[in-house]
Amino acid sequence: MRNLIIDLDAIAYNLGVMRQRAGGVKVCGVVKANAYGHGMVEVARKLEEAGVDYLGVADVAEALELRRAGIDAPILAWLHDPHEMFVEALNEGIELGLANEDHLARVAAAAEITGRLARVHLKVDTGLNRNGASAAEWEGVLRQARALVAEGFIQVVGIFSHLSSTGEAEDLAQIARFDAAVEFARESGLQFELRHLTASDGSLNYPQAQYEMVRIGVALYGLSPFADHDSKEYGLRPAMTATANVTQVKRVPAGEGVSYGYLHRTAAETTLALVPVGYAEGLPRDASGKASVSINGKTYPISSRIAMDQFVIDVGNDDVNMGDLVTIFGDPAAGVPSADELAAAADTINYEIVTRMGGRFKRTYLGDLD
Ligand SMILES: *Cc1c(COP(=O)(O)O)cnc(C)c1O
């Protein structure tokens, strides 16, 4: 009745596009937050098959879920509970992004308990001011990392940071700070193989900042990281299509109010089609009166209020019937509304649209492994 159709082949294809754009450096495929709503395990399996170098997640819990599903690829997790105990992460060979001395100490303790060498990526803040060691903390983090390397508890695999995506001047300033922080680490005697800074946007904008790895999320899902450029410009294919089947149609006279608050009133005798998707599925209520959907190749505005479970489309005298397929968004190349358009209607970004899709939607996969 409600389907999220996930085209895994499109995701593998997008990996190839982004790998080529990044000049062949390693790609960390970011699958945090249930792979931006696409299904973390299925996407990770496909990316692993397609030869992704790393999988990126926020939390250790996500990384462990991937391992439990049999994913063997290197996994990097970078956002930790203040009291995180890293024992299970090390037992499962999860690499850790670390930004402070306390977490370094906890990882060293876990390395001692498990007898495993912890592979860590040190995160330096270059201006985003989220996690990452501040300029003032960096020297202390490096000193402690060198000591723990010497004691045999950790191996520093990489140094990384994250851009604010504010504008070119801000990004270039961050790139310069990143280079300086890396240089400082090298001069302090620390050895590491990977520098990684850019996500989808920086990877598309700054060829000089691909270093040894890029961390790609939204572009893998075929979406553009920029509001003013669509993904087709980069040769990316949107991977998620949200559909539902009309559950009821009825003829009503002119002057009828439709759905909560009568945001829509019928102008003439017309047919109303009921679609069983609401804000419980992640369809933003804010898109009421602004977004459109596609039925039988024709686009109709969602002119009435989106409710928890359903919304109603006024299809005029068109031949729309119970069971007809409604596409809420998908690949605009197929003539249906895009996630970008739904995002604009709800005053948000495409990232949020796909990531919030859930509720009673059922995910079905195209191009799944056997
Ligand atoms: C989410 C995230 C990414 C991926 O960002 P996209 O814009 O989706 O490519 C990369 N790095 C970090 C640290 C992230 O949190």
Side-chain angles (χ1 to χ4, degrees):
M1 183 155 82
R2 313 172 191 90
N3 282 299
L4 293 176
I5 301 152
I6 310 299
D7 185 349
L8 295 172
D9 288 329
I11 294 173
Y13 177 85
N14 295 330
L15 173 66
V17 170
M18 293 306 290
R19 188 191 289 287
Q20 200 168 17
R21 282 200 169 259
V25 304
K26 285 183 196 283
V27 176
C28 173
V30 179
V31 296
K32 65 188 179 187
N34 201 24
Y36 296 39
H38 293 69
M40 182 172 71
V41 167
E42 290 81 358
V43 169
R45 280 202 188 113
K46 188 71 179 188
L47 289 172
E48 186 172 46
E49 182 205 46
V52 79
D53 299 284
Y54 266 84
L55 293 168
V57 290
D59 297 3
V60 167
E62 293 176 304
L64 294 173
E65 191 183 332
L66 288 172
R67 282 285 184 265
R68 277 195 292 272
I71 305 287
D72 295 323
I75 302 176
L76 175 61
W78 53 68
L79 186 64
H80 312 298
D81 185 273
H83 307 294
E84 189 86 43
M85 265 314 297
F86 293 99
V87 168
E88 212 181 341
L90 295 194
N91 277 332
E92 296 299 331
I94 311 295
E95 300 187 21
L96 301 161
L98 300 176
N100 63 60
E101 296 184 42
D102 183 61
H103 277 156
L104 273 166
R106 286 172 188 278
V107 167
E112 191 158 25
I113 290 167
T114 59
R116 290 173 190 269
L117 182 65
R119 288 171 56 87
V120 310
H121 299 237
L122 300 178
K123 187 162 194 183
V124 59
D125 195 308
T126 52
L128 180 58
N129 280 310
R130 296 198 319 199
N131 74 345
S134 69
E137 293 163 335
W138 190 228
E139 189 173 356
V141 165
L142 291 174
R143 189 182 316 113
Q144 193 189 14
R146 288 194 310 274
L148 296 177
V149 169
E151 288 175 72
F153 290 134
I154 70 167
Q155 175 191 351
V156 177
V157 177
I159 290 184
F160 74 120
S161 191
H162 194 47
L163 298 176
S164 77
S165 310
T166 302
E168 187 171 358
E170 291 82 357
D171 289 345
L172 294 179
Q174 281 196 260
I175 291 170
R177 281 187 212 156
F178 184 65
D179 287 336
V182 164
E183 191 53 34
F184 188 72
R186 284 224 168 98
E187 279 172 3
S188 81
L190 200 66
Q191 286 172 4
F192 47 92
E193 23 167 316
L194 300 179
R195 296 167 296 170
H196 46 109
L197 175 63
T198 59
S200 298
D201 60 340
S203 174
L204 290 168
N205 272 344
Y206 307 114
Q208 74 274 31
Q210 320 281 300
Y211 302 103
E212 287 75 47
M213 185 160 81
V214 293
R215 301 182 307 269
I216 306 297
V218 83
L220 286 181
Y221 307 107
L223 300 177
S224 168
F226 308 110
D228 53 350
H229 293 275
D230 67 36
S231 66
K232 197 168 164 230
E233 293 178 43
Y234 306 107
L236 299 166
R237 285 164 42 189
M240 180 188 286
T241 302
T243 68
N245 297 97
V246 171
T247 61
Q248 191 182 341
V249 289
K250 66 177 156 214
R251 290 294 285 176
V252 297
E256 287 292 312
V258 182
S259 189
Y260 292 131
Y262 290 174
L263 194 60
H264 178 71
R265 289 176 191 270
T266 58
E269 185 184 334
T270 191
T271 299
L272 299 177
L274 184 66
V275 185
V277 171
Y279 56 78
E281 276 63 60
L283 185 64
R285 185 173 176 276
D286 271 357
S288 303
K290 290 178 272 181
S292 295
V293 299
S294 173
I295 309 175
N296 303 328
K298 192 166 163 186
T299 300
Y300 299 93
I302 307 180
S303 47
S304 63
R305 179 73 70 207
I306 294 166
M308 187 184 288
D309 314 306
Q310 50 199 302
F311 62 89
V312 181
I313 301 292
D314 183 337
V315 298
N317 295 318
D318 291 351
D319 183 26
V320 171
N321 298 292
M322 227 163 90
D324 282 1
L325 189 71
V326 181
T327 303
I328 297 161
F329 66 88
D331 184 349
V336 297
S338 64
D340 299 14
E341 286 167 315
L342 179 53
D347 197 19
T348 183
I349 54 175
N350 52 15
Y351 288 74
E352 187 184 344
I353 292 297
V354 289
T355 304
R356 64 187 286 160
M357 287 299 132
R360 293 154 291 184
F361 267 125
K362 184 169 162 287
R363 287 184 185 75
T364 53
Y365 294 92
L366 306 177
D368 205 355
L369 314 184
D370 316 316

